[in-house]
């Protein structure tokens, strides 16, 4: 056991553990959107289509924020971008808690999504900066574990707080954002590469260069497809409500996702060691598509929990491989931009899945949405298999060229790594 713990968590820098702790606290308090997923139709009285629109606008805001955050992380700095994101999120969360009018909720959900997306590239770039290539897989896997440990706690807290005063949920979320901001301010150094002459952030090229990177953008689009499937889980409470089930049981259903990841994620790197990354990603897409497609025939809470087991298995093996691929395909001096565009693949799914999915739930036969998601899983799996060789050639070319962070990386960041 001691040897396994050392292989799993040993040798990681202090800065990583501060980021990891911030992730855990932040995600434990991040139950605002989970609360809205459950209550927009059930308590607010919104239609399925409008609830899907609200969730979609949140995702659209995240997508825009991710692009802006990628540029800011490279030009302004990782640390400053993270501080702005978390403080703005806290303020917006309180505004959401005070709002009940549909248009206002939709607008604030968009703004909340923007600030959420803004911090993602800076956080990911900081983590990649401090870990380095040899620790990257383990560090990202541990952080993903923390995300889901926090998510599981948030799901349980959302159930506990279901009958608490409405504003309580939003105040607690704001508090968690401010704690994250305090950790960044006090313990996380700036890691953005800087020029030796001016000491200012060293950013080379524009975001257009990333968008023209065909190998990288193909990977981003495939990730978008996968996350559209996964993000459709937010529509399960609406489907439950339409089937006459208690939508508040969604917390129990989706908690399976977090529990599986909490229990099993730390074993994933050893399971995947030596395996083809492209084949792992293809298998992940098939599992995710199969699990979400099975919602079409899952008419009870236990059966819905079983579908979560299947697609969570795919999510678990996808996460660490995906994160290392993004880092390996990024130019170090444009790491924020690459992380921003990669985040857009995830955040855009938050826009596409709820809007299209909500419309299908309202206007198409009940099984349509879930069968479409299953088919999309097959398409993504094929795409990962076909594009895999080109990705590996690009990674090898970057490594052969010995592209690494500029010599101007700030001293405190270099020590942290």
């Amino acid at each position: 056991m001691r040897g396994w713990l050392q292989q799993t968590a040993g040798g990681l820098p202090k800065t990583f553990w501060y980021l990891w702790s911030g992730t855990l606290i932040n995600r434990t308090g991040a139950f605002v959107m989970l609360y809205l997923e459950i209550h927009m139709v059930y308590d607010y009285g919104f239609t399925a289509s409008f609830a899907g629109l609200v969730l979609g606008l949140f995702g659209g805001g995240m997508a825009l924020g991710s692009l802006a955050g990628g540029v800011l992380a490279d030009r302004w700095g990782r640390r400053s971008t993270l501080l702005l994101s978390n403080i703005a999120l806290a303020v917006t969360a309180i505004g959401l808690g005070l709002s009940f009018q549909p248009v206002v909720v939709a607008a604030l959900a968009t703004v909340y999504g923007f600030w959420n997306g803004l911090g993602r590239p800076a956080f990911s770039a900081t983590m990649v900066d401090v870990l380095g290539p040899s620790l990257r897989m383990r560090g990202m896997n541990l952080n993903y574990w923390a995300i889901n440990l926090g998510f599981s706690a948030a799901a349980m807290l959302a159930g506990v707080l279901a009958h608490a005063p409405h504003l309580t949920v939003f105040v607690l979320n704001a508090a968690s954002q401010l704690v994250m901001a305090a950790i960044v301010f006090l313990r996380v150094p700036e890691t953005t590469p800087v020029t030796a002459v001016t000491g200012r952030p060293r950013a080379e090229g524009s975001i257009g260069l990333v968008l023209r990177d065909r190998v990288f953008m193909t990977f981003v689009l495939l990730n978008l497809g996968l996350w559209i499937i996964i993000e459709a889980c937010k529509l399960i409470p609406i489907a439950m409500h339409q089937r006459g089930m208690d939508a508040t049981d969604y917390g129990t259903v989706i908690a399976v996702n977090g529990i599986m990841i909490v229990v099993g994620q730390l074993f994933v790197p050893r399971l995947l060691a030596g395996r083809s990354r492209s084949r792992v990603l293809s298998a992940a897409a098939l599992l995710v598509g199969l699990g979400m497609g099975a919602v079409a025939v899952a008419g009870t809470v236990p059966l819905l929990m079983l579908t979560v087991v299947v697609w969570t298995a795919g999510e678990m093996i996808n996460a660490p491989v995906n994160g290392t691929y993004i880092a390996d395909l990024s130019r170090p001096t444009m790491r924020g931009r690459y992380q921003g565009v990669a985040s857009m693949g995830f955040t855009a799914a938050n826009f596409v899945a709820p809007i299209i999915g909500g419309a299908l739930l309202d206007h198409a036969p009940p099984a349509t949405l879930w069968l479409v998601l299953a088919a999309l899983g097959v398409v993504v799996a094929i795409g990962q298999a076909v594009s895999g060789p080109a990705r590996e050639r690009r990674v090898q070319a970057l490594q052969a060229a010995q592209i690494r962070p500029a010599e101007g990386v700030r001293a405190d960041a270099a020590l942290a790594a």
Side-chain angles (χ1 to χ4, degrees), residues 247-311:
T248 59
D249 285 334
Y250 174 66
T252 302
V253 171
I254 201 62
V256 173
N257 172 265
I259 292 169
M260 279 186 63
I261 293 174
V262 168
V263 172
Q265 192 67 47
L266 296 184
F267 299 95
V268 169
R270 180 174 292 186
L271 174 68
L272 301 182
R275 299 184 185 276
S276 164
R277 294 196 286 186
S278 296
R279 290 182 181 178
V280 169
L281 293 177
S282 292
L286 289 174
L287 285 170
V288 169
L290 175 62
M292 204 62 71
V295 175
V297 295
T300 65
V301 169
L303 286 176
L304 286 171
M305 293 170 73
L306 184 59
T307 68
V308 177
V309 169
V310 177
W311 63 259

Side-chain angles (χ1 to χ4, degrees), residues 131-362:
L131 286 173
S134 63
L135 301 175
R136 201 166 283 161
M137 171 74 84
R138 289 197 292 130
M140 291 184 174
N141 192 64
L142 280 166
N143 190 65
Y144 189 71
W145 182 68
I147 289 172
N148 285 276
L149 182 61
F151 177 79
S152 297
M156 290 186 285
L157 285 171
V160 171
L161 295 170
H163 302 294
H166 172 78
L167 191 58
T168 303
V169 170
F170 300 89
V171 170
L172 289 175
N173 177 261
S176 72
Q177 303 291 350
L178 293 176
V179 170
M180 176 66 173
I183 291 172
V184 171
F185 182 76
L186 296 172
R187 295 297 181 184
V188 177
E190 179 60 74
T191 65
T192 306
V194 297
T195 62
V197 177
T198 66
R200 295 179 180 177
R202 178 182 178 182
E204 299 175 353
S206 67
I207 201 159
L209 184 63
V210 182
L211 296 175
R212 291 192 297 272
D213 186 333
R214 293 183 181 179
V215 173
F216 186 75
M217 289 307 300
T218 298
F219 189 56
V220 170
L221 290 174
L222 290 170
N223 284 335
L224 171 61
L226 182 77
W227 280 104
I228 285 174
I229 306 171
I230 294 174
E231 286 303 304
C233 73
K234 294 178 179 178
L235 298 168
I236 292 176
I238 298 174
M240 293 171 67
H241 181 68
Q242 290 179 337
R243 297 174 188 180
M245 303 169 67
D246 189 346
T248 59
D249 285 334
Y250 174 66
T252 302
V253 171
I254 201 62
V256 173
N257 172 265
I259 292 169
M260 279 186 63
I261 293 174
V262 168
V263 172
Q265 192 67 47
L266 296 184
F267 299 95
V268 169
R270 180 174 292 186
L271 174 68
L272 301 182
R275 299 184 185 276
S276 164
R277 294 196 286 186
S278 296
R279 290 182 181 178
V280 169
L281 293 177
S282 292
L286 289 174
L287 285 170
V288 169
L290 175 62
M292 204 62 71
V295 175
V297 295
T300 65
V301 169
L303 286 176
L304 286 171
M305 293 170 73
L306 184 59
T307 68
V308 177
V309 169
V310 177
W311 63 259
T312 298
E315 183 185 356
M316 289 172 67
I317 64 174
N318 174 79
V321 174
N322 190 285
T324 55
Y325 247 142
I326 291 169
D328 289 348
L329 291 169
S330 304
R331 302 185 184 191
T333 54
M334 297 180 62
R335 191 166 281 154
R337 288 172 172 79
Y338 272 89
Q339 292 289 344
V341 174
S343 293
M344 184 184 65
F346 163 74
T347 55
N350 283 266
F351 175 75
V352 175
I355 291 179
I356 296 178
L360 287 174
L361 285 176
D362 261 349

Side-chain angles (χ1 to χ4, degrees), residues 94-162:
I94 299 298
L96 264 172
L98 296 171
S99 305
F100 297 93
Q101 294 296 322
V103 174
V104 177
V105 171
L108 285 175
T110 306
V111 175
Y112 188 81
F114 179 85
W115 296 124
N116 192 303
L118 191 80
R120 288 174 181 267
F123 183 92
S124 298
T126 302
M127 187 156 288
V128 172
D129 291 340
V130 303
L131 286 173
S134 63
L135 301 175
R136 201 166 283 161
M137 171 74 84
R138 289 197 292 130
M140 291 184 174
N141 192 64
L142 280 166
N143 190 65
Y144 189 71
W145 182 68
I147 289 172
N148 285 276
L149 182 61
F151 177 79
S152 297
M156 290 186 285
L157 285 171
V160 171
L161 295 170

